Amino acid sequence: MQSSTYICICTVIIVHLILYRIFMKYLKMMIEEDVPTILQEFVQPRVINQDMLINLAIEQGPKGEAGKLFYEDGIKLDEIKEIRIEFLNILKLDYLWVMPNLMTLKLSNNIIEKIENLNALVNLKELDLSFNRIKIMENLNNLTKLEILLLFNNEIREIENIDELCHLTIFSIGNNIITDTKHVLYLRKFKKLRSLNMSGNPCTKEDGYLHYVFAFLPQLIYYEYKMITNEQRKDATEKHYRTLNTLEEAEMKEQEELDAQQKYEKKLAILTAAYVEHLDGDYLFHQMFEDDKEGKDLSIVTDDTQNAHEEYKKNFTAICEEFCEIGLKEHNKRMNEINLYNIAVNEGKTISENQGRMIVNEVLRRKTDALATVKQLLKKLVGDVDTATLENVTEIAQQYSEEFSDMVTDAWTRLMSIEVDLHEQMEDINEVFRINISDMVDSFLTTARGYFSQLRNCEAEYNDTINGLILYFLSGIGDDAKMPRHLLNLCEDKDMLNYNLNNSHERHLQIIDVREDIMINRLKNWVEEYSEQLIRHESERSSQQILEISHFADSQQQEFLQVLQQLNLNVDDSEIILALDE
């Protein structure tokens, strides 16, 4: 027994000595020959640069024949999907924007202190920053596709600034210094979160922490990489039943408000596209009185003025809403006109494309046949060739060159004719569309001016009504009676009343006029810009098509010429070239 123990001890000592010698030899070689090693890289903090990324890409890339091809084709950093930058003593994140298609980035076991320069990595799905020196969660919200976030063993005190990571599924932030439990409610918003690791944080030592997590994060399936059982979930829910109910009611109310806001924004977008935004209710009416203190005060002098003000609001709002409905209908008419235009244009382009495709296919088919014949001619010129054979081949080649040149010229003519016809049709369609859409807008603007005129008349009637009601009220105040203090600066006498009423009236009319001008100018500008855009796009399309047709014809003739030149005839090639050029 003792002998066996002695042998084991000796074996262990020998193994350690061997390992020590190997290490010292390797370290000496490193120092003497300046061989780069992981140990050397730990000597000084480093920053990510292009050379580092290229070396890592080669090291971590495919091996064998695939690796050889990968290296020979050139390292394309912008195409790399995954990279590991671990154990390299990285202090600062930099230069990663050259890898916008990264999906997995592993940066663990470095000395990184700040999360930064990751905004370009919009395709990132996994980010590992474990075992670093990060203190603050920041600059992560741009990584909207992120599913896995690992921040284990850092110096983070608070979970924050990841509101946009709606796809977050796995989150590990254990061994940090998070003390409070407010992060639980913060993580509640991440509906796709399935795995959470908080081990090693001070907050986990609080009584009932696990129950709190299990109760308030119902979307979790794993905690510390262990599946949460139904019993654990049930017990936690029962312990926090009342608080959960209150929280869920608050969240439901918040969601309803959010839905209402989104619905409002969607409706506003539609109204804005129809140029009748804020005319679907009493917004314009309140806008007139928003900065009109005198107008507000005059509207509440008596019960009669208050009733008049309410009646004015009712009539004014009714006009706005009626006009708004007309604006939406007119918008739909314009959109239908645009759809009909697009259908007509697409049909015309499709017909022309089909015609052109048939011509191109015919050229390619006949070229294939002609080239096959020419290649047969090449075989006749192998070895010694007599004069008769050479003359025969030359004659046939000349004939084929002329026929092919004529065919390409004819194809070019027909393709250009199709394009010219299409361009003329497009110009006609654009002009018809411009006239139709302009007529629609002009008709709507005429209607709009009528409604804005109604609003101004409504304002004038209200102004007259208020003037009469207040004068009647003032006539009932005897000479000996004192004017109420709050009316002294409004209507102490007729001149003051007229002054305040006129100021209020002019302010209201100005707001109505401005709203009308905004609508008219926006619509007119839209018609002009849209029409010009159609003309510009058609001109660019036609120019590009003409270039493509010319390039097609030139390339076909050039390809045929190159094959003919392989005949290596002892005759003047200019005859063949001339035929091709013709």
PDB file of all heavy atoms in Angstrom, residues 29-54:
ATOM      1  N   MET A  29      11.458  30.619 -25.663  1.00  0.00           N
ATOM      2  CA  MET A  29      11.366  30.772 -27.117  1.00  0.00           C
ATOM      3  C   MET A  29      10.572  32.025 -27.460  1.00  0.00           C
ATOM      4  O   MET A  29      10.907  32.773 -28.377  1.00  0.00           O
ATOM      5  CB  MET A  29      10.704  29.539 -27.725  1.00  0.00           C
ATOM      6  CG  MET A  29      10.543  29.616 -29.247  1.00  0.00           C
ATOM      7  SD  MET A  29       9.635  28.203 -29.907  1.00  0.00           S
ATOM      8  CE  MET A  29       8.010  28.564 -29.251  1.00  0.00           C
ATOM      9  N   MET A  30       9.505  32.260 -26.714  1.00  0.00           N
ATOM     10  CA  MET A  30       8.657  33.428 -26.955  1.00  0.00           C
ATOM     11  C   MET A  30       9.445  34.714 -26.767  1.00  0.00           C
ATOM     12  O   MET A  30       9.348  35.646 -27.561  1.00  0.00           O
ATOM     13  CB  MET A  30       7.467  33.395 -25.998  1.00  0.00           C
ATOM     14  CG  MET A  30       6.559  34.629 -26.072  1.00  0.00           C
ATOM     15  SD  MET A  30       5.405  34.693 -24.696  1.00  0.00           S
ATOM     16  CE  MET A  30       6.533  35.187 -23.386  1.00  0.00           C
ATOM     17  N   ILE A  31      10.272  34.736 -25.716  1.00  0.00           N
ATOM     18  CA  ILE A  31      11.019  35.955 -25.408  1.00  0.00           C
ATOM     19  C   ILE A  31      12.142  36.164 -26.417  1.00  0.00           C
ATOM     20  O   ILE A  31      12.367  37.255 -26.928  1.00  0.00           O
ATOM     21  CB  ILE A  31      11.569  35.897 -23.971  1.00  0.00           C
ATOM     22  CG1 ILE A  31      10.402  35.887 -22.973  1.00  0.00           C
ATOM     23  CG2 ILE A  31      12.499  37.073 -23.711  1.00  0.00           C
ATOM     24  CD1 ILE A  31      10.844  35.618 -21.551  1.00  0.00           C
ATOM     25  N   GLU A  32      12.864  35.080 -26.711  1.00  0.00           N
ATOM     26  CA  GLU A  32      14.018  35.202 -27.581  1.00  0.00           C
ATOM     27  C   GLU A  32      13.627  35.450 -29.027  1.00  0.00           C
ATOM     28  O   GLU A  32      14.265  36.211 -29.738  1.00  0.00           O
ATOM     29  CB  GLU A  32      14.860  33.925 -27.485  1.00  0.00           C
ATOM     30  CG  GLU A  32      15.542  33.768 -26.119  1.00  0.00           C
ATOM     31  CD  GLU A  32      16.306  32.459 -26.038  1.00  0.00           C
ATOM     32  OE1 GLU A  32      16.203  31.653 -26.989  1.00  0.00           O
ATOM     33  OE2 GLU A  32      17.038  32.269 -25.047  1.00  0.00           O
ATOM     34  N   GLU A  33      12.597  34.764 -29.499  1.00  0.00           N
ATOM     35  CA  GLU A  33      12.255  34.842 -30.908  1.00  0.00           C
ATOM     36  C   GLU A  33      11.087  35.790 -31.174  1.00  0.00           C
ATOM     37  O   GLU A  33      10.660  35.964 -32.305  1.00  0.00           O
ATOM     38  CB  GLU A  33      11.890  33.447 -31.422  1.00  0.00           C
ATOM     39  CG  GLU A  33      13.047  32.469 -31.288  1.00  0.00           C
ATOM     40  CD  GLU A  33      12.698  31.112 -31.862  1.00  0.00           C
ATOM     41  OE1 GLU A  33      11.695  31.027 -32.611  1.00  0.00           O
ATOM     42  OE2 GLU A  33      13.416  30.144 -31.597  1.00  0.00           O
ATOM     43  N   ASP A  34      10.578  36.391 -30.106  1.00  0.00           N
ATOM     44  CA  ASP A  34       9.480  37.349 -30.255  1.00  0.00           C
ATOM     45  C   ASP A  34       8.280  36.713 -30.979  1.00  0.00           C
ATOM     46  O   ASP A  34       7.694  37.285 -31.878  1.00  0.00           O
ATOM     47  CB  ASP A  34       9.949  38.576 -31.031  1.00  0.00           C
ATOM     48  CG  ASP A  34       8.968  39.735 -30.874  1.00  0.00           C
ATOM     49  OD1 ASP A  34       8.253  39.767 -29.857  1.00  0.00           O
ATOM     50  OD2 ASP A  34       8.918  40.577 -31.779  1.00  0.00           O
ATOM     51  N   VAL A  35       7.951  35.486 -30.578  1.00  0.00           N
ATOM     52  CA  VAL A  35       6.816  34.788 -31.174  1.00  0.00           C
ATOM     53  C   VAL A  35       5.549  35.271 -30.492  1.00  0.00           C
ATOM     54  O   VAL A  35       5.429  35.222 -29.270  1.00  0.00           O
ATOM     55  CB  VAL A  35       6.956  33.256 -30.996  1.00  0.00           C
ATOM     56  CG1 VAL A  35       5.734  32.558 -31.572  1.00  0.00           C
ATOM     57  CG2 VAL A  35       8.228  32.770 -31.661  1.00  0.00           C
ATOM     58  N   PRO A  36       4.535  35.755 -31.241  1.00  0.00           N
ATOM     59  CA  PRO A  36       3.307  36.250 -30.627  1.00  0.00           C
ATOM     60  C   PRO A  36       2.515  35.113 -30.006  1.00  0.00           C
ATOM     61  O   PRO A  36       2.297  34.080 -30.627  1.00  0.00           O
ATOM     62  CB  PRO A  36       2.550  36.875 -31.805  1.00  0.00           C
ATOM     63  CG  PRO A  36       3.095  36.208 -33.012  1.00  0.00           C
ATOM     64  CD  PRO A  36       4.493  35.864 -32.700  1.00  0.00           C
ATOM     65  N   THR A  37       2.149  35.262 -28.780  1.00  0.00           N
ATOM     66  CA  THR A  37       1.349  34.263 -28.072  1.00  0.00           C
ATOM     67  C   THR A  37       0.274  34.963 -27.274  1.00  0.00           C
ATOM     68  O   THR A  37       0.247  36.181 -27.143  1.00  0.00           O
ATOM     69  CB  THR A  37       2.221  33.448 -27.095  1.00  0.00           C
ATOM     70  OG1 THR A  37       2.651  34.323 -26.057  1.00  0.00           O
ATOM     71  CG2 THR A  37       3.430  32.855 -27.792  1.00  0.00           C
ATOM     72  N   ILE A  38      -0.641  34.152 -26.741  1.00  0.00           N
ATOM     73  CA  ILE A  38      -1.703  34.707 -25.890  1.00  0.00           C
ATOM     74  C   ILE A  38      -1.099  35.402 -24.681  1.00  0.00           C
ATOM     75  O   ILE A  38      -1.557  36.456 -24.245  1.00  0.00           O
ATOM     76  CB  ILE A  38      -2.655  33.578 -25.443  1.00  0.00           C
ATOM     77  CG1 ILE A  38      -3.449  33.089 -26.638  1.00  0.00           C
ATOM     78  CG2 ILE A  38      -3.597  34.049 -24.345  1.00  0.00           C
ATOM     79  CD1 ILE A  38      -4.365  31.922 -26.337  1.00  0.00           C
ATOM     80  N   LEU A  39      -0.012  34.819 -24.141  1.00  0.00           N
ATOM     81  CA  LEU A  39       0.607  35.442 -22.969  1.00  0.00           C
ATOM     82  C   LEU A  39       1.125  36.831 -23.307  1.00  0.00           C
ATOM     83  O   LEU A  39       0.993  37.772 -22.525  1.00  0.00           O
ATOM     84  CB  LEU A  39       1.748  34.556 -22.460  1.00  0.00           C
ATOM     85  CG  LEU A  39       1.314  33.216 -21.820  1.00  0.00           C
ATOM     86  CD1 LEU A  39       2.551  32.403 -21.470  1.00  0.00           C
ATOM     87  CD2 LEU A  39       0.470  33.480 -20.581  1.00  0.00           C
ATOM     88  N   GLN A  40       1.752  36.954 -24.482  1.00  0.00           N
ATOM     89  CA  GLN A  40       2.239  38.265 -24.887  1.00  0.00           C
ATOM     90  C   GLN A  40       1.083  39.242 -25.054  1.00  0.00           C
ATOM     91  O   GLN A  40       1.182  40.404 -24.677  1.00  0.00           O
ATOM     92  CB  GLN A  40       2.993  38.147 -26.209  1.00  0.00           C
ATOM     93  CG  GLN A  40       4.425  37.646 -26.030  1.00  0.00           C
ATOM     94  CD  GLN A  40       5.133  37.648 -27.349  1.00  0.00           C
ATOM     95  OE1 GLN A  40       4.625  37.118 -28.321  1.00  0.00           O
ATOM     96  NE2 GLN A  40       6.311  38.243 -27.389  1.00  0.00           N
ATOM     97  N   GLU A  41       0.021  38.782 -25.623  1.00  0.00           N
ATOM     98  CA  GLU A  41      -1.111  39.657 -25.905  1.00  0.00           C
ATOM     99  C   GLU A  41      -1.727  40.193 -24.614  1.00  0.00           C
ATOM    100  O   GLU A  41      -2.387  41.209 -24.614  1.00  0.00           O
ATOM    101  CB  GLU A  41      -2.149  38.893 -26.734  1.00  0.00           C
ATOM    102  CG  GLU A  41      -1.659  38.633 -28.138  1.00  0.00           C
ATOM    103  CD  GLU A  41      -2.516  37.607 -28.870  1.00  0.00           C
ATOM    104  OE1 GLU A  41      -3.333  36.958 -28.198  1.00  0.00           O
ATOM    105  OE2 GLU A  41      -2.339  37.469 -30.091  1.00  0.00           O
ATOM    106  N   PHE A  42      -1.521  39.482 -23.540  1.00  0.00           N
ATOM    107  CA  PHE A  42      -2.048  39.950 -22.263  1.00  0.00           C
ATOM    108  C   PHE A  42      -1.190  41.046 -21.646  1.00  0.00           C
ATOM    109  O   PHE A  42      -1.599  41.682 -20.678  1.00  0.00           O
ATOM    110  CB  PHE A  42      -2.146  38.781 -21.280  1.00  0.00           C
ATOM    111  CG  PHE A  42      -3.507  38.165 -21.239  1.00  0.00           C
ATOM    112  CD1 PHE A  42      -3.848  37.169 -22.124  1.00  0.00           C
ATOM    113  CD2 PHE A  42      -4.448  38.617 -20.339  1.00  0.00           C
ATOM    114  CE1 PHE A  42      -5.103  36.614 -22.092  1.00  0.00           C
ATOM    115  CE2 PHE A  42      -5.700  38.066 -20.298  1.00  0.00           C
ATOM    116  CZ  PHE A  42      -6.041  37.051 -21.178  1.00  0.00           C
ATOM    117  N   VAL A  43       0.009  41.237 -22.188  1.00  0.00           N
ATOM    118  CA  VAL A  43       0.907  42.216 -21.583  1.00  0.00           C
ATOM    119  C   VAL A  43       0.340  43.619 -21.639  1.00  0.00           C
ATOM    120  O   VAL A  43       0.342  44.347 -20.665  1.00  0.00           O
ATOM    121  CB  VAL A  43       2.286  42.163 -22.276  1.00  0.00           C
ATOM    122  CG1 VAL A  43       3.189  43.269 -21.754  1.00  0.00           C
ATOM    123  CG2 VAL A  43       2.924  40.797 -22.059  1.00  0.00           C
ATOM    124  N   GLN A  44      -0.199  44.031 -22.792  1.00  0.00           N
ATOM    125  CA  GLN A  44      -0.725  45.372 -22.955  1.00  0.00           C
ATOM    126  C   GLN A  44      -2.186  45.315 -23.413  1.00  0.00           C
ATOM    127  O   GLN A  44      -2.545  44.464 -24.226  1.00  0.00           O
ATOM    128  CB  GLN A  44       0.095  46.142 -23.995  1.00  0.00           C
ATOM    129  CG  GLN A  44       1.515  46.453 -23.569  1.00  0.00           C
ATOM    130  CD  GLN A  44       1.585  47.423 -22.409  1.00  0.00           C
ATOM    131  OE1 GLN A  44       0.681  48.237 -22.221  1.00  0.00           O
ATOM    132  NE2 GLN A  44       2.640  47.344 -21.624  1.00  0.00           N
ATOM    133  N   PRO A  45      -3.026  46.219 -22.906  1.00  0.00           N
ATOM    134  CA  PRO A  45      -4.419  46.286 -23.401  1.00  0.00           C
ATOM    135  C   PRO A  45      -4.429  46.572 -24.893  1.00  0.00           C
ATOM    136  O   PRO A  45      -3.558  47.270 -25.408  1.00  0.00           O
ATOM    137  CB  PRO A  45      -5.013  47.447 -22.599  1.00  0.00           C
ATOM    138  CG  PRO A  45      -4.145  47.574 -21.397  1.00  0.00           C
ATOM    139  CD  PRO A  45      -2.775  47.183 -21.838  1.00  0.00           C
ATOM    140  N   ARG A  46      -5.448  46.043 -25.587  1.00  0.00           N
ATOM    141  CA  ARG A  46      -5.482  46.174 -27.036  1.00  0.00           C
ATOM    142  C   ARG A  46      -6.824  46.754 -27.487  1.00  0.00           C
ATOM    143  O   ARG A  46      -7.822  46.708 -26.768  1.00  0.00           O
ATOM    144  CB  ARG A  46      -5.258  44.814 -27.702  1.00  0.00           C
ATOM    145  CG  ARG A  46      -4.008  44.121 -27.224  1.00  0.00           C
ATOM    146  CD  ARG A  46      -3.859  42.759 -27.870  1.00  0.00           C
ATOM    147  NE  ARG A  46      -3.587  42.854 -29.294  1.00  0.00           N
ATOM    148  CZ  ARG A  46      -3.580  41.822 -30.107  1.00  0.00           C
ATOM    149  NH1 ARG A  46      -3.855  40.611 -29.649  1.00  0.00           N
ATOM    150  NH2 ARG A  46      -3.325  41.982 -31.403  1.00  0.00           N
ATOM    151  N   VAL A  47      -6.806  47.258 -28.722  1.00  0.00           N
ATOM    152  CA  VAL A  47      -8.016  47.767 -29.360  1.00  0.00           C
ATOM    153  C   VAL A  47      -8.227  46.980 -30.646  1.00  0.00           C
ATOM    154  O   VAL A  47      -7.271  46.664 -31.354  1.00  0.00           O
ATOM    155  CB  VAL A  47      -7.889  49.279 -29.679  1.00  0.00           C
ATOM    156  CG1 VAL A  47      -9.117  49.770 -30.438  1.00  0.00           C
ATOM    157  CG2 VAL A  47      -7.702  50.065 -28.399  1.00  0.00           C
ATOM    158  N   ILE A  48      -9.432  46.657 -30.952  1.00  0.00           N
ATOM    159  CA  ILE A  48      -9.738  45.900 -32.159  1.00  0.00           C
ATOM    160  C   ILE A  48      -9.366  46.723 -33.389  1.00  0.00           C
ATOM    161  O   ILE A  48      -9.692  47.903 -33.474  1.00  0.00           O
ATOM    162  CB  ILE A  48     -11.224  45.537 -32.200  1.00  0.00           C
ATOM    163  CG1 ILE A  48     -11.569  44.650 -31.008  1.00  0.00           C
ATOM    164  CG2 ILE A  48     -11.601  44.831 -33.492  1.00  0.00           C
ATOM    165  CD1 ILE A  48     -13.053  44.409 -30.839  1.00  0.00           C
ATOM    166  N   ASN A  49      -8.666  46.091 -34.342  1.00  0.00           N
ATOM    167  CA  ASN A  49      -8.332  46.765 -35.591  1.00  0.00           C
ATOM    168  C   ASN A  49      -8.516  45.797 -36.761  1.00  0.00           C
ATOM    169  O   ASN A  49      -8.863  44.622 -36.575  1.00  0.00           O
ATOM    170  CB  ASN A  49      -6.907  47.316 -35.560  1.00  0.00           C
ATOM    171  CG  ASN A  49      -5.877  46.243 -35.253  1.00  0.00           C
ATOM    172  OD1 ASN A  49      -5.970  45.125 -35.764  1.00  0.00           O
ATOM    173  ND2 ASN A  49      -4.902  46.569 -34.419  1.00  0.00           N
ATOM    174  N   GLN A  50      -8.268  46.266 -37.958  1.00  0.00           N
ATOM    175  CA  GLN A  50      -8.517  45.471 -39.158  1.00  0.00           C
ATOM    176  C   GLN A  50      -7.622  44.234 -39.212  1.00  0.00           C
ATOM    177  O   GLN A  50      -8.093  43.131 -39.535  1.00  0.00           O
ATOM    178  CB  GLN A  50      -8.320  46.308 -40.418  1.00  0.00           C
ATOM    179  CG  GLN A  50      -8.675  45.562 -41.705  1.00  0.00           C
ATOM    180  CD  GLN A  50      -8.617  46.454 -42.923  1.00  0.00           C
ATOM    181  OE1 GLN A  50      -8.200  47.585 -42.835  1.00  0.00           O
ATOM    182  NE2 GLN A  50      -9.048  45.943 -44.053  1.00  0.00           N
ATOM    183  N   ASP A  51      -6.358  44.393 -38.923  1.00  0.00           N
ATOM    184  CA  ASP A  51      -5.434  43.246 -38.974  1.00  0.00           C
ATOM    185  C   ASP A  51      -5.882  42.151 -38.017  1.00  0.00           C
ATOM    186  O   ASP A  51      -5.830  40.955 -38.355  1.00  0.00           O
ATOM    187  CB  ASP A  51      -4.014  43.698 -38.635  1.00  0.00           C
ATOM    188  CG  ASP A  51      -3.417  44.584 -39.720  1.00  0.00           C
ATOM    189  OD1 ASP A  51      -3.928  44.523 -40.862  1.00  0.00           O
ATOM    190  OD2 ASP A  51      -2.478  45.334 -39.429  1.00  0.00           O
ATOM    191  N   MET A  52      -6.297  42.553 -36.824  1.00  0.00           N
ATOM    192  CA  MET A  52      -6.760  41.566 -35.858  1.00  0.00           C
ATOM    193  C   MET A  52      -7.967  40.808 -36.381  1.00  0.00           C
ATOM    194  O   MET A  52      -8.041  39.574 -36.293  1.00  0.00           O
ATOM    195  CB  MET A  52      -7.117  42.250 -34.534  1.00  0.00           C
ATOM    196  CG  MET A  52      -7.650  41.298 -33.465  1.00  0.00           C
ATOM    197  SD  MET A  52      -8.303  42.168 -32.023  1.00  0.00           S
ATOM    198  CE  MET A  52      -6.804  42.917 -31.403  1.00  0.00           C
ATOM    199  N   LEU A  53      -8.925  41.539 -36.971  1.00  0.00           N
ATOM    200  CA  LEU A  53     -10.136  40.906 -37.481  1.00  0.00           C
ATOM    201  C   LEU A  53      -9.817  39.948 -38.622  1.00  0.00           C
ATOM    202  O   LEU A  53     -10.383  38.853 -38.710  1.00  0.00           O
ATOM    203  CB  LEU A  53     -11.127  41.969 -37.946  1.00  0.00           C
ATOM    204  CG  LEU A  53     -11.733  42.858 -36.838  1.00  0.00           C
ATOM    205  CD1 LEU A  53     -12.634  43.911 -37.457  1.00  0.00           C
ATOM    206  CD2 LEU A  53     -12.497  42.025 -35.830  1.00  0.00           C
ATOM    207  N   ILE A  54      -8.895  40.340 -39.503  1.00  0.00           N
ATOM    208  CA  ILE A  54      -8.525  39.473 -40.624  1.00  0.00           C
ATOM    209  C   ILE A  54      -7.849  38.203 -40.119  1.00  0.00           C
ATOM    210  O   ILE A  54      -8.160  37.085 -40.567  1.00  0.00           O
ATOM    211  CB  ILE A  54      -7.602  40.229 -41.603  1.00  0.00           C
ATOM    212  CG1 ILE A  54      -8.394  41.334 -42.316  1.00  0.00           C
ATOM    213  CG2 ILE A  54      -6.990  39.280 -42.618  1.00  0.00           C
ATOM    214  CD1 ILE A  54      -7.557  42.221 -43.206  1.00  0.00           C
TER     215      ILE A  54
END
